[in-house]
PDB file of all heavy atoms in Angstrom:
ATOM      1  N   ASP B 215     -10.074 -39.389  32.818  1.00 98.00           N
ATOM      2  CA  ASP B 215     -10.389 -39.108  34.221  1.00 98.00           C
ATOM      3  C   ASP B 215     -11.696 -39.849  34.534  1.00 98.00           C
ATOM      4  O   ASP B 215     -12.756 -39.524  33.988  1.00 98.00           O
ATOM      5  CB  ASP B 215     -10.557 -37.595  34.419  1.00 98.00           C
ATOM      6  CG  ASP B 215     -10.946 -37.260  35.851  1.00 98.00           C
ATOM      7  OD1 ASP B 215     -12.138 -37.456  36.207  1.00 98.00           O
ATOM      8  OD2 ASP B 215     -10.065 -36.827  36.606  1.00 98.00           O
ATOM      9  N   PHE B 216     -11.584 -40.873  35.418  1.00 98.00           N
ATOM     10  CA  PHE B 216     -12.760 -41.726  35.627  1.00 98.00           C
ATOM     11  C   PHE B 216     -13.940 -40.966  36.232  1.00 98.00           C
ATOM     12  O   PHE B 216     -15.088 -41.296  35.945  1.00 98.00           O
ATOM     13  CB  PHE B 216     -12.396 -42.957  36.465  1.00 98.00           C
ATOM     14  CG  PHE B 216     -11.702 -44.010  35.652  1.00 98.00           C
ATOM     15  CD1 PHE B 216     -10.349 -44.266  35.813  1.00 98.00           C
ATOM     16  CD2 PHE B 216     -12.396 -44.724  34.688  1.00 98.00           C
ATOM     17  CE1 PHE B 216      -9.713 -45.223  35.041  1.00 98.00           C
ATOM     18  CE2 PHE B 216     -11.773 -45.689  33.909  1.00 98.00           C
ATOM     19  CZ  PHE B 216     -10.418 -45.935  34.089  1.00 98.00           C
ATOM     20  N   GLU B 217     -13.663 -39.981  37.047  1.00 98.00           N
ATOM     21  CA  GLU B 217     -14.784 -39.186  37.582  1.00 98.00           C
ATOM     22  C   GLU B 217     -15.520 -38.485  36.457  1.00 98.00           C
ATOM     23  O   GLU B 217     -16.759 -38.473  36.396  1.00 98.00           O
ATOM     24  CB  GLU B 217     -14.261 -38.151  38.600  1.00 98.00           C
ATOM     25  CG  GLU B 217     -14.257 -38.673  40.025  1.00 98.00           C
ATOM     26  CD  GLU B 217     -13.962 -37.573  41.036  1.00 98.00           C
ATOM     27  OE1 GLU B 217     -14.817 -36.675  41.197  1.00 98.00           O
ATOM     28  OE2 GLU B 217     -12.871 -37.634  41.631  1.00 98.00           O
ATOM     29  N   SER B 218     -14.742 -37.894  35.545  1.00 98.00           N
ATOM     30  CA  SER B 218     -15.333 -37.187  34.410  1.00 98.00           C
ATOM     31  C   SER B 218     -16.067 -38.167  33.484  1.00 98.00           C
ATOM     32  O   SER B 218     -17.174 -37.891  32.994  1.00 98.00           O
ATOM     33  CB  SER B 218     -14.238 -36.439  33.645  1.00 98.00           C
ATOM     34  OG  SER B 218     -14.788 -35.778  32.536  1.00 98.00           O
ATOM     35  N   ILE B 219     -15.458 -39.324  33.263  1.00 98.00           N
ATOM     36  CA  ILE B 219     -16.071 -40.334  32.388  1.00 98.00           C
ATOM     37  C   ILE B 219     -17.414 -40.788  32.970  1.00 98.00           C
ATOM     38  O   ILE B 219     -18.440 -40.829  32.264  1.00 98.00           O
ATOM     39  CB  ILE B 219     -15.127 -41.551  32.220  1.00 98.00           C
ATOM     40  CG1 ILE B 219     -13.880 -41.159  31.413  1.00 98.00           C
ATOM     41  CG2 ILE B 219     -15.854 -42.714  31.549  1.00 98.00           C
ATOM     42  CD1 ILE B 219     -12.781 -42.231  31.387  1.00 98.00           C
ATOM     43  N   LEU B 220     -17.411 -41.107  34.261  1.00 98.00           N
ATOM     44  CA  LEU B 220     -18.642 -41.611  34.891  1.00 98.00           C
ATOM     45  C   LEU B 220     -19.716 -40.534  34.950  1.00 98.00           C
ATOM     46  O   LEU B 220     -20.911 -40.813  34.788  1.00 98.00           O
ATOM     47  CB  LEU B 220     -18.336 -42.153  36.288  1.00 98.00           C
ATOM     48  CG  LEU B 220     -17.451 -43.417  36.297  1.00 98.00           C
ATOM     49  CD1 LEU B 220     -17.121 -43.818  37.731  1.00 98.00           C
ATOM     50  CD2 LEU B 220     -18.126 -44.565  35.550  1.00 98.00           C
ATOM     51  N   GLN B 221     -19.301 -39.313  35.191  1.00 98.00           N
ATOM     52  CA  GLN B 221     -20.261 -38.200  35.200  1.00 98.00           C
ATOM     53  C   GLN B 221     -20.927 -38.067  33.823  1.00 98.00           C
ATOM     54  O   GLN B 221     -22.144 -37.881  33.708  1.00 98.00           O
ATOM     55  CB  GLN B 221     -19.535 -36.908  35.582  1.00 98.00           C
ATOM     56  CG  GLN B 221     -20.484 -35.756  35.867  1.00 98.00           C
ATOM     57  CD  GLN B 221     -19.720 -34.474  36.211  1.00 98.00           C
ATOM     58  OE1 GLN B 221     -18.562 -34.305  35.847  1.00 98.00           O
ATOM     59  NE2 GLN B 221     -20.374 -33.573  36.912  1.00 98.00           N
ATOM     60  N   ALA B 222     -20.107 -38.202  32.779  1.00 98.00           N
ATOM     61  CA  ALA B 222     -20.652 -38.093  31.417  1.00 98.00           C
ATOM     62  C   ALA B 222     -21.658 -39.202  31.141  1.00 98.00           C
ATOM     63  O   ALA B 222     -22.735 -38.965  30.584  1.00 98.00           O
ATOM     64  CB  ALA B 222     -19.514 -38.145  30.395  1.00 98.00           C
ATOM     65  N   PHE B 223     -21.299 -40.426  31.519  1.00 98.00           N
ATOM     66  CA  PHE B 223     -22.240 -41.534  31.317  1.00 98.00           C
ATOM     67  C   PHE B 223     -23.506 -41.330  32.147  1.00 98.00           C
ATOM     68  O   PHE B 223     -24.605 -41.688  31.717  1.00 98.00           O
ATOM     69  CB  PHE B 223     -21.584 -42.881  31.660  1.00 98.00           C
ATOM     70  CG  PHE B 223     -20.707 -43.422  30.554  1.00 98.00           C
ATOM     71  CD1 PHE B 223     -19.376 -43.736  30.798  1.00 98.00           C
ATOM     72  CD2 PHE B 223     -21.216 -43.611  29.283  1.00 98.00           C
ATOM     73  CE1 PHE B 223     -18.567 -44.236  29.788  1.00 98.00           C
ATOM     74  CE2 PHE B 223     -20.411 -44.119  28.256  1.00 98.00           C
ATOM     75  CZ  PHE B 223     -19.084 -44.423  28.518  1.00 98.00           C
ATOM     76  N   GLY B 224     -23.358 -40.764  33.332  1.00 97.00           N
ATOM     77  CA  GLY B 224     -24.524 -40.477  34.165  1.00 97.00           C
ATOM     78  C   GLY B 224     -25.475 -39.523  33.477  1.00 97.00           C
ATOM     79  O   GLY B 224     -26.697 -39.736  33.454  1.00 97.00           O
ATOM     80  N   ILE B 225     -24.934 -38.493  32.884  1.00 95.00           N
ATOM     81  CA  ILE B 225     -25.763 -37.520  32.155  1.00 95.00           C
ATOM     82  C   ILE B 225     -26.423 -38.201  30.952  1.00 95.00           C
ATOM     83  O   ILE B 225     -27.619 -38.052  30.696  1.00 95.00           O
ATOM     84  CB  ILE B 225     -24.908 -36.325  31.694  1.00 95.00           C
ATOM     85  CG1 ILE B 225     -24.377 -35.545  32.911  1.00 95.00           C
ATOM     86  CG2 ILE B 225     -25.705 -35.412  30.768  1.00 95.00           C
ATOM     87  CD1 ILE B 225     -23.289 -34.542  32.578  1.00 95.00           C
ATOM     88  N   ALA B 226     -25.616 -38.997  30.214  1.00 94.00           N
ATOM     89  CA  ALA B 226     -26.126 -39.652  29.002  1.00 94.00           C
ATOM     90  C   ALA B 226     -27.264 -40.610  29.336  1.00 94.00           C
ATOM     91  O   ALA B 226     -28.275 -40.655  28.634  1.00 94.00           O
ATOM     92  CB  ALA B 226     -24.999 -40.407  28.297  1.00 94.00           C
TER      93      ALA B 226
END
Side-chain angles (χ1 to χ4, degrees):
Chain B
D215 178 283
F216 282 108
E217 269 190 68
S218 179
I219 292 171
L220 293 176
Q221 191 181 23
F223 280 124
I225 295 167

